[in-house]
Amino acid sequence: MAKNVHFFSSNESTGKDTILEKIGIRGRRAMELAALDLPILPGFVFDSEITSQMDTLPLKSKLKSYIKKLETGTGKEFGNPDNPMLLKIVISPNLVIATYPTLHNYGLTSETLNGFMKFVGKNFSQHEVQFLLKGNLEIERRIAELEERSKDVEAIEKAIKELDVDLGEERTTAERKKSVEKYLKLLPEGFFTDAYVQLEISLKRISKMMKLDELNQNDTALLIQPMVYGNYGKDSSSGYFFTRNIVTGQKELQGEFYQSAFDSIGAKGKDINTINKQYLNQFENIAREVEDHFKEIRSIRFTIENKKLWLIEQRHVMTKSTRSEMRTLLDLYNRKKIDAEFVVKSVKPNQLNEILHPVLNLNSIKKMKSLAGGITGAPGAAIGRGFFTTDGLLEAFKEAQHKGQDTNLILCMTATFAEDVKAIEVARGVLSSEGGYAAHASVVARQYGKVSLVKTEMKIQGRKAVIDGIAINEGDYLTVNVPHYGEAAIYLGKGELIEPDPEESGMLDFIKLVRGFVKDFHVRANADNARDASLARSFGAEGIGLCRTEHMFFHEKRINDFRAMILAQNPEERQKALNKLLPIQKSDFYKLFKTMAGYEVTIRLLDAPLHEFLPHNPAEMKRFIAYLNERKKGSRISEKDVKNRCDALSEFNPMLGHRGCRIAVSYPEIYEMQIKAIFEAVYALQKEGVKVKPEIMIPLIMNENELKLIVYGKKIEGKTYRGLVDIEAEIREKMQVKKAVEYRIGTMIELPGAALAAGDIARYAQFFSFGTNDLTQTTMGLSRDDFNSFMPDYTMYDLLEGNPFQILNNNVKELVSTAVKRGKMTRPDLCTGLCGEHGAIPDNIRFCMMAGLDYVSCSSYSVPIANLAIAQINLEKGND
């Protein structure tokens, strides 16, 4: 037996793998703590090779020699009637999912009970006897279950339930003593007469249970350790602490101690930092030593018994925030305890969502009614008053600003469109009921760092929404929580947020370390303005992979000029409207290029169907008609006339209709204005000495002929179509620029036909950007906005592997791979990237790297996630 018993104490431990794999989780934790030479309670472990055989072995004589070593360390004696040492038995499985009863207070017998009472009182002593009985009865119940003795199971269960009630309630000493006498007969004879007999009986019964249990894989050990008590005299206490703050990561202990109390039950806790300075200094030193050893925050339980400190247990902290984890890692790195590779490998990419977005203070919503569930559009937490229209929200925002009131608002709509972007930008979060992760509301929310939740059961009627039978009125406070891990929920009321701080959290320092492992393949950002571009740069973006120019037109001071251009009845009217828009576009591009100086900026020319820009509600229509009549001389324009023109532009399937490059074919002056704005900004910056790398992307190309026309132009009888290269040359000459800027023209591959024709398209494209949202829709015949209505049925029958708008479908991957290969056969230096939120998912990034792409582009807030995924993939490859 001796070779299967392993001791641990502050000066004795083992680190042998052959032993550690046989002593279970709790045994390993004890050995780890003992190896640090800290004041751990001594103990020993029966390893898994022997535990299921102990019911047939003579134990008493062996136990005496083992326990003698524990008595030396604690100054107490097992079975001593005056100052008894009590023991606990810890069942230590290899898997954390296994659950066993808590087994404490071995050594409490009719001989030792009075001696124990002198230190802790009569009532507590009887309480601990009850606890001892309950633990052993749970072992007896399990044995009875395995032996199929149903009557015994019933009697034991009744006893356990009554003991549970007694242990949780106030009881007199007499009542507890009576309970003990009542249930002691359910345990083996002699259990309460002698300490060693009691311990031997218990170990053999536990061993028998393990032998009978088919679920036991002979990998469970038994740990024996003395008990110490925080109520063992006036100079005693118990408590716990984390090695640092588990929310902020601040290098200060977090926890509580309970003066003269065995544990926290019924005791009032005090801040651990207010404990006697002598102990606090010890705790702080222990915390640093433990963190340095385990390379993470740890939780430590302790007991001070008669002025002597004992560490009871240390464990991994499941509830720590990503911020605290990151600050711990950076602290260890700065003190040269770990290297950069360890830091980068230790954080999962999706954990960064917690730092990049606000998180909910869970204590603030404990008493609030909640509506659980929903589809995550963009993670984080948001609090604000709910409004059900863009106009209503913007009006409330202006009024709140004017009156100095709360400007935190939540946009609640069935679905959002292009004209609602301005409300999403102002709001703290978005609730919608149509679509899912790839819906318009979700995509725009991620771009602006807002929270988005799709509640398909939400019904909006005027100024009221109903979810699960509960009405939400306009102006009611909502707390929306969309954690990356766990279930989303809406809380009815005003909670509290913990706001992100990239610098304070250590995010920016972490990004610097991550960037050291990002090579060859890189991350760009989807950004439409200088603010987002600046944020993306601070997060490690190397350029802009997608600037959606249509988003630039939705500002309230621009949208009506753009609408007037769309509804123009002749080229002259259209050109007049475009002339007003050109300086605005130039200013936008100037700021964008300047912010991203030295990096590529991909400008996608107008893509959205024109009808998306037109008024979608009566209030918008009213303002637009007023605008038209203000600038028109003569007869007034009626609402009917405008509606008729809007209706003429409507399409049955606009996603595959008159959008993207098709608009440029019909209305070349629109792209001409954008090209002029781009190169006027480029050459203005060039004169200032700013290095600019423009890339012009033509959307929705289906064959090479479209791209050739738009890039190089065409002359036919009576008609000349000016190509983009000619417009650039004209601007260069007009601005008297001697040296042309180096720029690329490329296309977005978002149609299966374009992917298959990539070899031909590459003759006129210097880069491909894969728009995988639309490529998924057109490849699979799925609408990203409607897919979620039947996705649960497909999930139930395993018809699709995951959500194809999050994880790239294999057929879409094949089209991307094919397009890259065919494109590079035509143009070996072809630059290829993927833009959209597919590009922020680690599995998709791995595919892109394997397929030979050069970059991914995603929202600014997803850039750190993508960079971390790349760094970890590179580290994997380097270690292969």
Side-chain angles (χ1 to χ4, degrees), residues 628-644:
L628 291 175
N629 283 319
E630 281 176 13
R631 59 196 289 275
K632 181 175 174 62
K633 296 175 182 178
S635 60
R636 295 177 65 80
I637 297 173
S638 69
E639 184 174 334
K640 183 179 178 181
D641 288 338
V642 176
K643 281 186 175 180
N644 286 339

Side-chain angles (χ1 to χ4, degrees), residues 60-216:
K60 190 171 180 181
S61 60
K62 299 286 185 184
L63 287 172
K64 285 189 174 182
S65 63
Y66 299 152
I67 290 172
K68 191 71 177 173
K69 292 182 72 170
L70 309 188
E71 292 171 340
T72 303
T74 60
K76 299 179 186 178
E77 184 181 344
F78 190 62
N80 184 291
D82 298 317
N83 186 19
M85 179 180 74
L86 305 185
L87 301 174
K88 63 181 174 182
I89 301 173
V90 179
I91 302 176
S92 178
N94 249 335
L95 295 176
V96 75
I97 57 172
T99 55
Y100 291 102
T102 303
L103 305 170
H104 285 180
N105 307 321
Y106 292 97
L108 266 182
T109 66
S110 56
E111 294 179 348
T112 61
L113 184 58
N114 288 333
F116 186 61
M117 282 182 185
K118 288 190 300 183
F119 293 95
V120 297
K122 292 181 179 180
N123 192 280
F124 181 78
S125 296
Q126 292 293 347
H127 177 280
E128 292 304 276
V129 176
Q130 285 182 302
F131 197 92
L132 169 66
L133 295 186
K134 177 177 174 288
N136 279 270
L137 285 173
E138 287 180 358
I139 299 297
E140 294 300 324
R141 175 180 61 183
R142 184 63 183 142
I143 292 172
E145 287 172 343
L146 293 167
E147 292 180 337
E148 299 182 349
R149 293 183 280 114
S150 57
K151 285 188 178 180
D152 289 342
V153 171
E154 189 176 322
I156 295 170
E157 280 187 344
K158 181 182 177 183
I160 291 171
K161 286 178 182 176
E162 291 188 14
L163 284 167
D164 252 338
V165 173
D166 278 359
L167 288 167
E169 301 286 343
E170 291 287 335
R171 293 285 188 267
T172 65
T173 303
E175 286 172 329
R176 294 193 186 283
K177 186 176 180 180
K178 186 177 180 180
S179 169
V180 169
E181 292 169 351
K182 179 180 179 181
Y183 295 119
L184 195 57
K185 62 186 177 184
L186 293 174
L187 292 172
E189 188 176 348
F191 183 83
F192 203 55
T193 57
D194 177 85
Y196 278 101
V197 170
Q198 183 185 85
L199 183 60
E200 182 177 34
I201 288 172
S202 300
L203 287 171
K204 288 190 172 188
R205 298 302 285 171
I206 294 168
S207 178
K208 182 172 183 178
M209 176 194 73
M210 292 165 62
K211 182 182 287 186
L212 291 171
D213 193 349
E214 293 179 358
L215 295 177
N216 175 32

